[in-house]
Amino acid sequence: MASNYVDPSNDVKLSKKDLNILAWRSLLLQASFNYERMQAAGWLYGLIPGLRKIHRNKQDLSKSMKDHMEFFNTHPFLVTFIMGIIMAMEQNKEDRDAIRGIKVATMGPLGGIGDALFWLTLLPITAGIGASLAMDGNIAGPIIFLVLFNIVHFGLRFGLIRYGYYTGIKAIQQLKEGTKQISRAASILGLSVVGGLIATYVNFKTTAVIKTGEAKVKLQTDLLDKIMPALLPLTYTILMYYLLKKGKSPLTLIVITVLMGIIGKCFNVL
Amino acid sequence: MASNYVDPSNDVKLSKKDLNILAWRSLLLQASFNYERMQAAGWLYGLIPGLRKIHRNKQDLSKSMKDHMEFFNTHPFLVTFIMGIIMAMEQNKEDRDAIRGIKVATMGPLGGIGDALFWLTLLPITAGIGASLAMDGNIAGPIIFLVLFNIVHFGLRFGLIRYGYYTGIKAIQQLKEGTKQISRAASILGLSVVGGLIATYVNFKTTAVIKTGEAKVKLQTDLLDKIMPALLPLTYTILMYYLLKKGKSPLTLIVITVLMGIIGKCFNVL
Amino acid sequence: MASNYVDPSNDVKLSKKDLNILAWRSLLLQASFNYERMQAAGWLYGLIPGLRKIHRNKQDLSKSMKDHMEFFNTHPFLVTFIMGIIMAMEQNKEDRDAIRGIKVATMGPLGGIGDALFWLTLLPITAGIGASLAMDGNIAGPIIFLVLFNIVHFGLRFGLIRYGYYTGIKAIQQLKEGTKQISRAASILGLSVVGGLIATYVNFKTTAVIKTGEAKVKLQTDLLDKIMPALLPLTYTILMYYLLKKGKSPLTLIVITVLMGIIGKCFNVL
Amino acid sequence: MLTEALLIALWAGIAGIDLFNGLTHIHRPVVTGVIVGLILGDIKTGLIAGATLELVWMGMVPLAGAQPPNVVIGGIIGTAFAILTKQDPKVAVGIAVPFAVAVQGLITLLFTVFAPVMHKADRFAEEANYKGIEKINYLGLAILFVMYFVIAFLPIYFGSDAAIKFVEIVPKWFINGLSVAGGIMPAIGFAMLLKVMLKKEYVAFLILGFVLAAYMKLPILAIALIGSAIALYDFFLNKNNAAYREEEINDGI
Amino acid sequence: MLTEALLIALWAGIAGIDLFNGLTHIHRPVVTGVIVGLILGDIKTGLIAGATLELVWMGMVPLAGAQPPNVVIGGIIGTAFAILTKQDPKVAVGIAVPFAVAVQGLITLLFTVFAPVMHKADRFAEEANYKGIEKINYLGLAILFVMYFVIAFLPIYFGSDAAIKFVEIVPKWFINGLSVAGGIMPAIGFAMLLKVMLKKEYVAFLILGFVLAAYMKLPILAIALIGSAIALYDFFLNKNNAAYREEEINDGI
Amino acid sequence: MLTEALLIALWAGIAGIDLFNGLTHIHRPVVTGVIVGLILGDIKTGLIAGATLELVWMGMVPLAGAQPPNVVIGGIIGTAFAILTKQDPKVAVGIAVPFAVAVQGLITLLFTVFAPVMHKADRFAEEANYKGIEKINYLGLAILFVMYFVIAFLPIYFGSDAAIKFVEIVPKWFINGLSVAGGIMPAIGFAMLLKVMLKKEYVAFLILGFVLAAYMKLPILAIALIGSAIALYDFFLNKNNAAYREEEINDGI
Ligand SMILES: OC[C@H]1O[C@H](O)[C@@H](O)[C@@H](O)[C@@H]1O
Ligand SMILES: OC[C@H]1O[C@H](O)[C@@H](O)[C@@H](O)[C@@H]1O
Ligand SMILES: OC[C@H]1O[C@H](O)[C@@H](O)[C@@H](O)[C@@H]1O
């Protein structure tokens, strides 16, 4: 179906065992967390057994692995849902742009939903129960907390990978429209989300205040925000984009960013 | 012009007298008001003489009547404007999807506008005049109120049905583009409005609070609203939609909803 | 390339000297400021030498001048950027609708940005420095203010006209798509902006309060705003539009508007 | 007393219908006050009590089907007791409120239990049986009339204390539960609409309308405007495309 | 005194023009203060009075054509009286305000009554009479100059009391009414724009832009961004379609 | 003491990993409290101190990578000192806070300096060297373990005063500067994404998503819904067009 694979055969299927292995590996999603790619390398770590089974051609594997090293961040419990969908797409050798688009489009919303559901609701409830028992010196407190919490936790991890995978398989079968249309749709969706992520995730504000006699101009709220909200995040991302296009290495950009952060802090403008 | 009629002839015209009869009948718009269809049966009641004149074929009449039994709600004074437009479309035997789309798209906005104009402005002003006279024991108070209010009221009812009808006729003549395009446009508009109505009209909130030791999670504001506003109305509507598609009768759904309401209230979660 | 010119030749180029002359003339942008067209005549004044060089055919010149007499308003410093772009388009004999669309689409945003940058930031900072020196009786105060402020001011005027012009030239070369598509895009953009400008720039609110006994209805906030925000600006603009289409002269409309303003003020409803 | 009670009940029935149908607004306290006064032979107190209640209940109107405390029963019973007990007209308000609230609950109940009747109406529509549709509407009117008649008659005839006890038989959780159900029930109406309107192609607009209302809190009019803008864009886009296609076909010939 | 008054008036004329044209900002109080001081032989008071007014009137700038109290006349007359009456420079503010407000009204008046001149300009444009356009702009400058000259001259020469009386001849409702009319008048400008720009096909975008500004309170820049996004989408959509069409035609051959 | 310190440090290493990986939440104070209590032979104090810290730090979770004060080190050290100094368990909070905040800084530092390692990972991915990818992740785990081990060991073994001094060596501006840089760094990730995803045709959607988030403050889910709506519309539009085209071709034959 797709053209950008050396080996376009799509007859490999992932077994339940395969999926379980991926779910186990998803536990290390944040092993190599960092502020440039966030969970990317951990995400790829999780996918590896599946990708190796699907892409027997080394060049295809390389392409796929490279794609999955791109920026990734989502909620660590819901990640297996995305893993399932993506594995279905990989296995069907969908257009790589489509795979990327779907990945990017799902990670953002699931991140927010997961945070609300698990970090801000499940955790306080179960830990609250545990702590109130523990407070009375009852050792059942921590145990009950761990049990309650992890039933949901592991239930989701192993349930969602299957759900994602079969949903993906089914969706692909229904969409017989060739790879071009799907990847166009995925790009539209994905880039809308990236536009939103830039404004939401890139945390770039200046604290600079220009004082002249009586006048006091807070650069961020009195000037920049009036021109455009999230102006600095947007500008900086575009700048990084151009530097990358001009061949600058991402490493250089990190060094620049770190220096800017430290110097900006020293001069009290960031 | 249209294809979904047994008798596609569109030579019937409604006379002024016909329109006046419809306007009179519009007085009973809410005779059978209920929370599932709101004004639907009363709306159909109002249209009947017109529909009978237009659809001399019984099958056509049946189709049309069924359509007009679908959910309907708007402001009871402005309704005649919609009646006028719809009668123009019926008479011209427009595509039934187009008729439905226009009906759905106009009822919502006119409902809100009418409420602001008549319930929240005209009424307090005229009743205020009447009451301030009555307060002094002046019997002219109620009379002046009724006269002022009903001049506007009946002026609108009888004026708007004509205005709607001739506007409709003129619009149709200008749109020579065949019925397919019109019904596509009407569907786009109508479904946008329905999407908005779901979030606005379906009043479904949980009052449940999960208390665990010190922690207190208000399910609605602390969890659901963070995932998505109007999540319950949307979910419930989709659920109803699937149950309907699976062949469940609307009656069953009503019973379920009533039971849910009462039980939810008993357990203090709704 | 374009069809709506008598002389479609596009071989004239504007020299740096030409551009500088335009920048100088931009100083009179608001010489004939008025509430109907705002800066239109001053804007045209600025363009004249360029237009005359480009449109050697009198009919073309007339068309172009008429277009540039339409409503115009932007920030007086950033105006030269628009002048540059427009001159590039004029010189290339772009479709007149495209020129208008781009002009309309850029003037609004640059107006807001310029106000934030120069009136609300640069001015208080530089004048603040100047005033705090002057406060101590130091005559350097005003001088330093004028120098600082005008370095930015004139730097922008003369820099931006060039930047706009060459940006324009380059953009046009890249867009080889014939004039139709560009003018369609420019119209889409331009009309979105005009829609926004109507709601933003037309300042039409009623202060009328209807008092009846106890009830007090503030016409603007209690009724009109509930029907639709910016209802009066929209209605009045549409009214003006219809009157214009019906052949009423703009002069008549001005007289009507002035009378309405004065009478409305007398009766305390505006 | 029986004649007066019957006359007042008759008036309540008519006014109760007018609250939803006709809408001439003879049901407002400022009007019912004087009528009740007329029946009970004290027009002046009727006028003033009615006017007082009118001013207090100015903004109580049903929006999108949500019932406020019932001004009809409130107005009539409030005025009647003010006259009968020879109290200051202002007392009317205090008496009126519990009745107005109880009837608010009853109306909600009626609007909930009337929903199933719609499926009868569907059948009539299917069979093009317009008389059936009409009968259903007349039935609705009749129920309204009887309900208001009885509710107004009882407390006037038996006195307010007995009446209030009677009203209190219906348990609170039941009425409130129905009221909650009533709030949710439009979901069924929309689901039925969707069953006929929704095609895969149009899901996009349903999503859009929902997001505009749920997240951006736009009123329905604004959503309709945006929907129209998209419909217009789409309409002309397809028209242009069709024009191109035709052109080519003609060119081809 | 006449010479000084004339010199100050001359400066006011120049500064008045600079408020709208040139915009070198020699019209700000911090500059006019020192000039008036120079003319009246008390640079120090001029400097300080100017600086004081400057700081008070920091944010007073014309946004979207809306006139704030007039800093030119305010600055000049305030400083002048502070020097002439040998008062503390701070007093300048009190004197300056009524003049600044009165001239704010006058400017609004000018910008309203200058509107009809635009139709003369339309005619010139039509005839490609560029000299005519230029003359209209020079006329505008001349009017500004004369206005500021006179307004500055009178109170300095005849004293502030006489001047204030003079200013008060113009009735408030008239100036305010004009100001209201000025606020509405851009509607005419937009209507004229629409007359040339609006085609049925593009009504959708007008609606969209309006909704974005009126309901969602988006600034114009955001609307322009969304407009651009749609224009881009539409552009590539039609381009792709055209490409397909061509392909087919080629395939056909 | 050495044994206990080593055991606690071991536990800290495991819990520190669990904070980001595994996420069984054995790292929460309510659990670490009892474990530390077990090691130091005072389960009861451990339980109560842990529970106290748990309740105080309820909402402290990392959202979108932003680090809150570190609950692992805070919980462990707080509990340990409460037991060792035989203080009321409530005192744990006071001791825990400076450590929790200091480690928050260190984690931020780690997440910043680990970014360059990703370029090694890119190379491995390019070469399809999956073992390399795995090693990088194991390296990450190892670093986390060692860090937490050392940080927990030192203050327990040497006492809190010495430890706090040690922690204070790192200058504030440095940690804060890194934290600022960490906040900005996703820009590089997005830029790399854009480098592969962005085509001229799709710039429109990037703009749209940005405007929806920046101006209208929509959460990402709402943006994804709107993006889906557009994608759906576009999908069916092109499908319809393609259908028409095919039809014609067939008609032509
Ligand atoms: O909101 C529109 C409409 O909804 C329902 O039908 C009733 O509440 C009416 O009173 C109201 O005007
Ligand atoms: O708002 C843009 C622009 O509008 C008008 O032209 C004037 O008020 C200027 O001062 C302002 O910069
Ligand atoms: O916000 C999504 C996700 O972002 C990061 O990966 C971490 O902060 C997680 O804890 C969080 O769930």
Side-chain angles (χ1 to χ4, degrees), chain B residues 241-262:
Chain B
Y241 174 73
Y242 273 108
L243 292 178
L244 281 176
K245 282 218 131 182
K246 288 230 163 144
K248 285 271 175 301
S249 108
L251 249 170
T252 322
L253 304 183
I254 292 180
V255 173
I256 293 175
T257 307
V258 167
L259 287 179
M260 186 180 72
I262 293 175

Side-chain angles (χ1 to χ4, degrees), chain B residues 25 27 30-32 35-37 45 52 58 62 97 100 124 137 150 153 177 184 191-192 203 228 250, chain D residues 20-22 24 47 58 65 111 119 122 126-127 130 134 137-138 183 192 197 199 201-202 209 234-235:
Chain B
R25 289 174 76 104
L27 289 170
Q30 305 190 111
S32 51
Y35 285 132
E36 185 196 325
R37 311 279 179 89
Y45 173 86
R52 284 181 60 208
K58 199 181 159 184
S62 148
D97 285 348
R100 175 186 292 115
N150 283 302
H153 169 194
E177 337 286 335
R184 181 175 160 90
L191 277 160
S192 309
N203 208 329
M228 184 195 260
Chain D
F20 302 115
N21 302 279
T24 60
L47 264 176
M58 214 70 169
F111 287 177
H119 304 284
D122 281 341
E126 175 90 55
E127 300 160 357
Y130 57 91
E134 294 179 345
N137 282 287
Y138 298 144
M192 295 178 69
M197 287 181 82
K199 290 178 192 137
E201 281 182 73
Y202 301 136
D234 177 81
F235 181 83

Side-chain angles (χ1 to χ4, degrees), chain D residues 201 204-205 215-216 234 245, chain F residues 218-219 229 233 240-241 244 248:
Chain D
E201 281 182 73
F205 307 103
Y215 284 97
M216 310 200 192
D234 177 81
R245 274 196 295 270
Chain F
L218 286 193
Y233 171 73
N240 285 349
N241 273 336
Y244 272 119
E248 271 155 40

Side-chain angles (χ1 to χ4, degrees), chain C residues 25 27-38 41-42 44-45 48 52 58 61-62 65-66 69-71 73 76-77 97 100-101 104-105 107-109 113 115 119-120 123-124 127-128 130-131 134-139 141-142 145-146 149-150 153-154 157 175 177 181-185 187-204 227-231 233-234 236-237 240-241 244-245 250-251 253-254 257-258 260-262 265-266 270, chain E residues 19-26 28 30-31 34 43-44 47-48 51-52 54-55 58-59 61-67 90 107-108 110-112 114-116 118-119 121-122 124-131 133-134 136-141 144 172-174 176-178 180-199 201-203 205-210 213-215 217-218 220-221 223-228 230-232 234-235 238-239:
Chain C
R25 288 175 76 105
L27 289 170
L28 295 202
L29 178 68
Q30 305 189 111
S32 51
F33 193 92
N34 63 87
Y35 285 131
E36 186 195 327
R37 310 280 178 90
M38 296 205 161
L44 173 54
Y45 173 87
I48 281 172
R52 285 180 60 208
K58 198 181 160 184
L61 182 58
S62 146
M65 285 178 68
K66 265 188 68 185
M69 268 307 298
E70 287 159 14
F71 182 97
N73 194 50
F77 292 0
D97 285 348
R100 175 187 294 115
V104 166
M107 69 182 190
I113 293 176
D115 284 355
W119 292 167
L120 301 173
L123 180 61
M135 211 56 140
D136 307 335
N138 189 339
I139 201 155
F145 159 57
L146 285 177
F149 187 85
N150 283 302
H153 170 192
F154 284 98
R157 265 194 210 274
L175 294 165
E177 337 286 334
Q181 286 86 323
I182 301 176
S183 84
R184 179 173 160 92
S187 296
I188 290 177
L189 176 50
L191 276 160
S192 308
V193 169
V194 172
L197 290 174
I198 291 172
T200 313
Y201 266 61
V202 180
N203 207 329
F204 193 168
I227 297 177
M228 183 194 260
L231 181 61
L234 181 66
Y236 200 73
T237 307
M240 294 296 105
Y241 174 72
L244 280 176
K245 280 218 132 181
L251 249 168
L253 304 184
I254 294 180
T257 307
V258 168
M260 186 180 70
I262 292 174
K265 198 80 211 169
C266 286
L270 285 181
Chain E
L19 176 60
F20 302 114
N21 301 279
L23 294 158
T24 59
H25 282 58
I26 53 168
R28 294 296 307 182
V30 69
V31 182
V34 73
I43 293 192
K44 179 130 199 228
L47 263 176
I48 299 178
T52 309
E54 184 64 50
L55 294 176
M58 214 68 168
V61 285
L63 302 178
Q67 291 307 307
K90 300 231 161 110
I107 295 289
T108 302
L110 174 64
F111 286 177
T112 307
F114 212 72
M118 289 302 105
H119 304 283
D122 282 340
F124 289 149
E126 174 90 57
E127 299 160 358
N129 176 356
Y130 58 90
K131 292 222 168 115
I133 297 292
E134 295 179 346
I136 282 178
N137 283 287
Y138 298 145
L139 172 69
L141 293 183
L144 281 174
K172 253 214 152 105
W173 56 262
F174 180 71
N176 287 344
L178 278 175
V180 166
I184 301 173
M185 225 174 278
I188 302 173
F190 295 136
M192 295 177 70
L193 255 183
L194 289 181
K195 204 176 138 200
V196 283
M197 287 181 83
L198 199 60
K199 288 172 195 147
E201 283 183 71
Y202 301 136
V203 173
F205 307 104
L206 188 71
I207 296 175
L208 182 74
F210 178 80
Y215 284 96
K217 312 290 175 214
L218 286 193
I220 297 298
L221 178 57
I223 296 172
L225 285 172
I226 290 181
S228 310
I230 299 173
L232 277 171
D234 177 81
F235 181 83
N238 290 323
K239 200 171 155 186

Side-chain angles (χ1 to χ4, degrees), chain B residues 30 33 39 73-76 111 115 119, chain D residues 62-65:
Chain B
Q30 305 190 111
F33 193 92
Q39 305 163 338
N73 194 49
T74 194
H75 191 274
D115 284 354
W119 293 167
Chain D
L63 301 178

Side-chain angles (χ1 to χ4, degrees), chain D residues 200-205 207-208 210-212 215-216 230 233-234 237-238 241 245-246 248-249, chain F residues 212 216 218-219 221-226 228-230 232-233 236-237 239-241 244-245 248:
Chain D
K200 264 192 297 179
E201 281 182 73
Y202 301 136
V203 174
F205 307 103
I207 297 175
L208 181 73
F210 179 80
V211 171
L212 292 175
Y215 284 97
M216 310 200 192
I230 299 173
Y233 172 71
D234 177 81
L237 194 71
N238 290 324
N241 273 336
R245 274 196 295 270
E246 235 152 76
E248 271 155 40
I249 292 176
Chain F
L212 291 175
M216 310 199 193
L218 286 193
L221 178 57
I223 296 173
L225 284 173
I226 290 181
S228 309
I230 299 174
L232 277 171
Y233 171 73
F236 286 109
L237 193 72
K239 201 172 155 184
N240 285 349
N241 273 336
Y244 272 119
R245 274 195 294 270
E248 271 155 40

Side-chain angles (χ1 to χ4, degrees), chain F residues 45-57:
Chain F
T45 310
L47 263 175
I48 300 178
T52 310
L53 285 163
E54 183 65 50
L55 294 175
V56 173
W57 283 338

